[in-house]
Every structure is written in C-alpha cells, then in structure tokens.
Amino acid sequence: MTRSIALTVLLAALVCSCARGSPTQSAAEAKPAATAAPTSPPAVPQQAAQAASSPESEAAQAAAAQEGAGDEPEEDRSQARSDAGLERLAQLPADQQLPGGRWKPGVNYDPLVPSQPTNVSPGKVEVVEVFWLGCPHCYALEPYLQSWLKNKPAYVEFVRVPVMWGPVHRAHAHLFYTLMALNHPELVQQAFDTIQQKHEMLAAPSEEETLRQQQNFAKNFGISPDDYAKAYNSFTVNSNLQRAEQLTQRYHVEGVPVFVIDGKYTTDVARAGSQSNLIALIDDLSAAERRH
C-alpha cells in the first residue's frame, strides 16, 4: 500500500513538472495513469519508425511531439527573444543565411538569443539534444536519431543534455550521467525501454529510493551496486548535473526533445514537421554553420 501511494505521488509530480502552465493538459495526461483501463504501450523503436512512414502520420505526430514545461509569460519572453533574433538573422549578408526555400526562420527554426558558446574543436559543429528519459516523444524520436548518428557528417559533434525541470527530471538526469560515468552509454537505450515500455520509473520521492531503484536496474547489466553508488555520488556526475541545469535555463527549454545547433539555432519535431524532416533540418543548419 505504501509503495502504491509513493508511486502515485511520483506520477503526480511527473505530470505537473511537464506541464506547469497547462492544468487541462496535465489532467488529461494524468487520467490514463490513474485508471486501470488497459492502454496501448508506447511504440517500440521499430513500430515508431513504421508509424511515421506516411506524410499524414508524420504530420499528426509532429503536431504533438513535445513535452512542455512553460507558462504563458515565459512563452511571451521566448517570442520576444525569437523576434529579436529573426531581425538579426534578416540583417545578415545573404551568404551567411540558411538557403531559403525548404526551411524558414521563425517557422522551422529560431535563433537562440543570446547565442551560447559551444565546446567543440575548430571546424566542428555542435548539435545538442535536450531530452528526458521519461518523455514518450523523445523515445519515439530515438530510432531516427540513432540512424542519423551512424551516418552524420564527421564535422558534427553530438551532445545529449538531460532536461532539468524538476525532481523526476533530475533523477533521470542523474541516471543518464551515472551510466555515462561508468562508460556504459549503451544502457541509455535500456533505461529508455525500462521507463517507457516496462513503466518502471527509476525515480522515487526520496533520493535514497531513487538510488536503490537505479542500482537494481544497473545490477541487471553487470554493474555492482557499490560501483553504481560511487559513480552516482562522484564529482564528475554532480558537475554534469549542474551544467545541465545551467543549459536548461540558457537554452530557454520549454519543451523536449529540442535541438540546439552550434549554440545559435533551436528546432524540434513540431517546427520541422516530422521526425525525418527534423533530421534533414539539423543537417542543413549544421552544414550552413560549417560554411560560416
């Protein structure tokens, strides 16, 4: 009984932290979790790719492909930043603007204002995905993203940053960075599957219970609880968590998944029009940045 109550509290916190400015949406999202009626599980990567095979289904997915976490005043400020950035973009010489035609600034992508520094070598272009392991839209994007990573241009350096909106997001960010510190990036997909398919949150109302759940998860893949706890509490992981929190704020993240190209532009599935369009747009923005 106590475990059920704790899980209910956790799920309530999760929903609120994803849609702080949308009570109606939060209630709608909370209803399936609270009822016992069977629901279809999130699509596995192969199913997600198949479901997006037609333009109609891609458009439908893109229309609701973001986990949101912002209120109206912040959206107003974001719009003001975007408008100022678009004015600056329009003033650039023609050879410094993204070629027109397929992609439109302010429609398919926006300038990040102010632009942010990157952490890549000269000649490289940084592509950052801000994501959340508990986000079904991030999960649906995974097959497209993993396919792109196998074929992306060599000059593109891809970085994942877990969003840091609230306690559940922080718990999942802690999991992500701990797995990376243990040199097990392949287990990120396993964490996605566990949360999205098995509905095991790997996060709890207390940090002690969160750590225990994550230790049990890692133990299934040959990582001892002691090794996991050591990495979990390491200086490196805590430093990465602090940086992720800073970037969540500096990138003005109001929904995930969202991509930041070279610290200058942001885009997402909804603005691109589909998952496959998003990948093409990332490539085009990256290529334009390299030319500059």
Side-chain angles (χ1 to χ4, degrees), residues 96-174:
Q96 295 185 28
Q97 298 184 35
L98 189 68
R102 185 175 186 185
W103 311 119
K104 302 295 184 183
V107 177
N108 303 120
Y109 66 96
D110 290 304
L112 179 60
V113 181
S115 60
Q116 296 297 317
T118 61
N119 190 28
V120 294
S121 305
K124 300 286 188 177
V125 175
E126 182 184 71
V127 173
V128 175
E129 181 204 18
V130 185
F131 77 108
W132 174 35
L133 288 170
C135 167
H137 311 302
C138 299
Y139 187 58
L141 183 63
E142 272 299 291
Y144 300 89
L145 189 58
Q146 293 304 318
S147 177
W148 173 72
L149 287 174
K150 294 174 182 177
N151 302 285
K152 70 175 180 61
Y155 60 81
V156 170
E157 290 200 10
F158 178 66
V159 180
R160 301 191 93 161
V161 175
V163 74
M164 297 283 280
W165 286 326
V168 176
H169 309 97
R170 183 178 181 84
H172 287 164
H174 217 145

Side-chain angles (χ1 to χ4, degrees), residues 29-237:
E29 291 176 350
K31 186 175 180 180
T35 61
T39 58
S40 299
V44 298
Q46 182 178 0
Q47 291 171 326
Q50 291 174 345
S53 60
S54 68
E56 294 80 2
S57 62
E58 285 192 338
Q61 289 179 13
Q66 295 294 109
E67 288 287 329
D71 52 24
E72 288 301 321
E74 176 56 33
E75 288 180 4
D76 292 343
R77 291 193 292 273
S78 296
Q79 184 61 50
R81 288 192 295 265
S82 178
D83 289 345
L86 291 172
E87 289 182 11
R88 185 185 65 189
L89 191 63
Q91 293 169 0
L92 290 175
D95 63 350
Q96 295 185 28
Q97 298 184 35
L98 189 68
R102 185 175 186 185
W103 311 119
K104 302 295 184 183
V107 177
N108 303 120
Y109 66 96
D110 290 304
L112 179 60
V113 181
S115 60
Q116 296 297 317
T118 61
N119 190 28
V120 294
S121 305
K124 300 286 188 177
V125 175
E126 182 184 71
V127 173
V128 175
E129 181 204 18
V130 185
F131 77 108
W132 174 35
L133 288 170
C135 167
H137 311 302
C138 299
Y139 187 58
L141 183 63
E142 272 299 291
Y144 300 89
L145 189 58
Q146 293 304 318
S147 177
W148 173 72
L149 287 174
K150 294 174 182 177
N151 302 285
K152 70 175 180 61
Y155 60 81
V156 170
E157 290 200 10
F158 178 66
V159 180
R160 301 191 93 161
V161 175
V163 74
M164 297 283 280
W165 286 326
V168 176
H169 309 97
R170 183 178 181 84
H172 287 164
H174 217 145
L175 170 62
F176 170 75
Y177 282 126
T178 301
L179 293 176
M180 300 302 287
L182 288 165
N183 198 29
H184 281 287
E186 77 283 358
L187 294 186
V188 174
Q189 183 62 55
Q190 296 293 340
F192 254 132
D193 292 343
T194 298
I195 295 169
Q196 299 291 337
Q197 293 292 327
K198 299 180 180 178
H199 309 294
E200 297 175 13
M201 286 307 299
L202 303 179
S206 71
E207 186 164 1
E208 293 79 8
E209 177 63 16
T210 292
L211 175 57
R212 188 190 67 79
Q213 289 184 19
Q214 294 183 10
Q215 284 174 310
N216 288 339
F217 163 80
K219 188 176 180 180
N220 293 329
F221 302 98
I223 300 172
S224 73
D226 286 345
D227 286 346
Y228 188 88
K230 183 177 179 180
Y232 183 93
N233 293 309
S234 68
F235 174 80
T236 297
V237 168

